[in-house]
Amino acid sequence: MCGIVGYISKDGNPNSLRLGVEALKRLEYRGYDSAGFAIWDANKKDIFCQKAVGRINKLEEKINNNSVFDNPVILHTRWATHGGVTDCNAHPHCDCRKNIYLVHNGIIENYKELKEQLIKEGHKFSSETDTEVLSHLVEKFFKGNLEEAVRRALSLVRGTYGIAVISREDPKKIVAARLGSPLLLGLGENEYLIASDPSAVIAHTKKVIYLDDGEIATLTPENFFILKEKKPEEIEWKLEEAQKGGFPHFMLKEIMEEPETIENALRGRLIIEEGRVKLGGLDGIQEKLRKINRLILVACGTASYAARVGEYMLEEYAGIPTEVDTASEFRYRKPIVDKNTAAIFISQSGETADTLAALKEMKQKGILTIGITNVVGSTQARETDAGVYTRSGPEIAVASTKAFLGQLATLAMFAVYLGRQREMALVMGKRIVQELAKLPELAKETLKSAPEIEKLAKNYKDFNNFWFIGRKYNYPIALEGALKLKEISYLHAEGVGAGELKHGPIALIDETFPTVAILPSDSVYEKMVSNIQEVKARRGKVLAIATQGNEDIKKIVDDVIYIPKTLEMLTPILSVIPLHLFAYYTAVLLGHDVDKPRNLAKSVTVE
Ligand code: M6R
């Protein structure tokens, strides 16, 4: 996601901007859509700010080599969440007087209220971002001391932040603060850095101090101050490892980010006491949505499996007849729609050609179109009538993992949103919203099985064929588990509704053809047990994904991976995590390039 760098040195340094840009480039792997910097110009006694949409070299092209800058400098790579990808929305953001310049990672949840208040007080905003409220808030409290103004501003903020701030009127310092978004200080020789990720500072120093939540640090050319006494730590990563946050592959890094992805999707959207969710992107079509009596969900690949889970959620909890189609087929059938039909398009990239073609078709028919998209400003996000961003952050590995979790969490919220507009009772709304809020923690707990799953992958990697079976909410998870395994391990794997086994697929089962069965303790649990018995009766090996506390299942299957208990509709959000890990470890053990599997592209922009 977004990246932050700050640099300050003892004797000033005309190379500060170049050093800062180099450090920022080390954060490029995180993905971004625009970049910017603000730097103290010693000649003009002012701050110079520059921003550019696109890669960092676009920003570099805008720098005049004859300019003599000094430091401090703060730099940022932005991955849009609030507001489109424009120069204006890129960071740093400044106040009305161009005194305060600030870069920010995270989301300010109460930015709308703060912005309204600041506008009433006469502040003029120039971007659509949540971040800009921070620079105006700091301006409001600035009386010559930057730390003090930052401290007072942050006391009014709800949400997450990692920030770095500089001021023209208090110029020889960088003030940095964190809450829920990582930030560290790099302690070099006669120089200090601030960064959101160790990879940015590693070329300068391995001595770092990680800021804790709620801490504010001040860096001056001579020293640094944090309220609490803290000992520096040594970074152990090599530079290339740091690009992946210390993980051997982007895919593993992204799987490990799944709890955070769920949290990001839910952040600021759950209103627990009212048992409802707030989806700002749907505000403009709220009344239209009340009249919708049929939904069509359209997507490709992994996103289409999220759509299938969504189908169960929306029919059961919103009470709206829902159908799912893969985009590549959808446009070649003759979908019958009327003015009360809405089509929802789900896509991580927002650039999948098949999905966009289906969207175009639906727009021609004049029905309401909604996007569930990860990439802000993508074609899908722009072309749909309204939408919800999943806020999963950049997904670099070709095989989609964390984005799927963002899609599922968003669909669950969508079901509550539409359900509460209709028959869903307050108690039911509250129950789902409360359980949704617990999911990030439960996902973290699920990830603790990683070492056990790695061991299991060793036992299963030499089989050439796999069935993945599930029912109801976990039928699409069987499809996703199989897709993930085949994409990166190149083993043959098929997902099938467990009830369908006996209608044909069971013919293949013998001791060489194992089955991965997803059977949380839910309304179809007994049915799943019967289907597993059918497999066992044919000497098939079974690896089960079951709910913690279910000891009985051990008597029937060969291996079990446990997931925590949650509501039936939310089980897919947990049950898919072990399957992502299983596919990952199997592929690694087989020696494949997991991040770039053969024949596949991250974004399929051709039909
Ligand atoms: O960017 P999208 O979500 O629209 O992509 C859809 C599919 O191409 C994508 O999910 C694909 O199936 C992945 N390789 C799955 O891991």
Side-chain angles (χ1 to χ4, degrees), residues 303-436:
S304 77
Y305 303 146
R308 285 176 185 239
V309 176
E311 180 181 21
Y312 287 100
M313 291 171 170
L314 289 159
E315 293 203 324
E316 185 165 0
Y317 290 98
I320 305 176
T322 303
E323 65 195 78
V324 174
D325 215 335
T326 43
S328 50
E329 286 302 315
F330 181 69
R331 56 188 304 232
Y332 296 107
R333 69 182 173 92
K334 205 171 163 220
I336 297 155
V337 294
D338 64 22
K339 63 179 182 1
N340 294 324
T341 305
I344 304 180
F345 299 85
I346 307 174
S347 172
Q348 186 285 126
S349 60
E351 301 296 349
T352 299
D354 288 321
T355 311
L356 292 177
L359 166 60
K360 199 165 162 200
E361 186 72 20
M362 285 302 98
K363 285 184 72 152
Q364 258 161 20
K365 293 197 187 291
I367 67 160
L368 182 65
T369 59
I370 299 164
I372 294 183
T373 318
N374 189 32
V375 178
V376 174
S378 56
T379 310
Q380 178 173 293
R382 283 184 278 111
E383 302 279 308
T384 37
D385 296 314
V388 183
Y389 284 121
T390 56
R391 305 173 181 160
S392 307
E395 196 179 59
I396 294 167
V398 166
S400 187
T401 53
K402 65 172 183 171
F404 183 63
L405 281 280
Q407 289 160 352
L408 293 181
T410 305
L411 283 160
M413 288 190 287
F414 206 57
V416 177
Y417 183 97
L418 294 176
R420 293 289 283 132
Q421 276 191 334
R422 293 167 173 75
E423 306 287 315
M424 186 188 284
L426 172 66
V427 274
M428 178 54 80
K430 270 190 178 172
R431 183 135 183 257
I432 301 175
V433 169
Q434 273 162 355
E435 288 299 317
L436 271 166

Side-chain angles (χ1 to χ4, degrees), residues 469 517 519 528-536 542 556-557:
I469 61 169
L519 76 162
M528 277 297 296
V529 170
S530 307
N531 300 136
I532 290 174
Q533 300 284 17
E534 292 160 11
V535 174
K536 290 309 299 173
V542 176
I556 313 172
V557 303

Side-chain angles (χ1 to χ4, degrees), residues 1-6 23-31 77 105 162 178 181-186 193-203 205 208-211 235 237-247 250 253 257 396:
M1 287 191 105
C2 309
I4 288 180
V5 170
L24 194 67
K25 281 185 175 169
R26 298 213 172 84
L27 301 184
E28 283 197 296
Y29 77 95
R30 297 162 64 100
T77 45
N105 287 358
R178 86 156 257 181
S181 188
L183 216 52
L184 58 97
L185 313 186
L193 291 103
I194 182 94
S196 51
D197 186 318
S199 43
V201 306
I202 226 161
T205 177
V208 297
I209 290 181
Y210 291 91
L211 287 190
I235 306 175
W237 300 344
K238 297 191 192 82
L239 191 57
E240 59 285 6
E241 281 171 349
Q243 302 289 306
K244 294 178 185 132
F247 290 99
F250 283 110
K253 174 177 176 281
E257 285 169 356
I396 294 167

Side-chain angles (χ1 to χ4, degrees), residues 383-554:
E383 302 279 308
T384 37
D385 296 314
V388 183
Y389 284 121
T390 56
R391 305 173 181 160
S392 307
E395 196 179 59
I396 294 167
V398 166
S400 187
T401 53
K402 65 172 183 171
F404 183 63
L405 281 280
Q407 289 160 352
L408 293 181
T410 305
L411 283 160
M413 288 190 287
F414 206 57
V416 177
Y417 183 97
L418 294 176
R420 293 289 283 132
Q421 276 191 334
R422 293 167 173 75
E423 306 287 315
M424 186 188 284
L426 172 66
V427 274
M428 178 54 80
K430 270 190 178 172
R431 183 135 183 257
I432 301 175
V433 169
Q434 273 162 355
E435 288 299 317
L436 271 166
K438 289 182 200 158
L439 279 178
E441 275 313 308
L442 299 184
K444 274 187 204 155
E445 206 179 318
T446 309
L447 282 171
K448 287 185 188 151
S449 308
E452 195 189 323
I453 297 169
E454 187 173 10
K455 275 191 210 140
L456 285 171
K458 281 186 191 137
N459 299 341
Y460 282 85
K461 72 173 190 344
D462 296 323
F463 289 99
N464 289 320
N465 300 289
F466 289 80
W467 283 121
F468 282 71
I469 61 169
R471 297 186 83 132
K472 203 174 167 186
Y473 281 101
N474 283 286
Y475 164 42
I477 299 307
L479 302 177
E480 165 65 3
L483 177 70
K484 216 79 325 164
L485 188 66
K486 75 180 112 181
E487 277 190 299
I488 57 170
S489 73
Y490 316 143
L491 297 175
H492 171 236
E494 293 302 330
V496 64
E500 270 297 293
L501 270 184
K502 57 186 175 297
H503 296 289
I506 205 163
L508 293 170
I509 288 177
D510 62 17
E511 61 278 12
T512 68
F513 207 130
T515 297
V516 179
I518 306 133
L519 76 162
S521 305
D522 61 9
S523 64
V524 287
Y525 175 76
E526 297 300 337
K527 302 274 172 213
M528 277 297 296
V529 170
S530 307
N531 300 136
I532 290 174
Q533 300 284 17
E534 292 160 11
V535 174
K536 290 309 299 173
R538 284 150 188 91
R539 303 185 312 283
K541 198 172 158 79
V542 176
L543 163 59
I545 312 293
T547 305
Q548 280 167 0
N550 178 0
E551 293 299 316
D552 287 348
I553 195 69
K554 285 186 180 159

Side-chain angles (χ1 to χ4, degrees), residues 285-313:
I285 58 161
Q286 212 169 349
E287 290 316 310
K288 278 191 186 160
L289 282 172
R290 281 185 205 283
K291 297 190 191 114
I292 292 301
N293 60 18
R294 181 167 163 240
L295 290 169
I296 304 175
L297 269 52
V298 186
C300 295
T302 284
S304 77
Y305 303 146
R308 285 176 185 239
V309 176
E311 180 181 21
Y312 287 100
M313 291 171 170

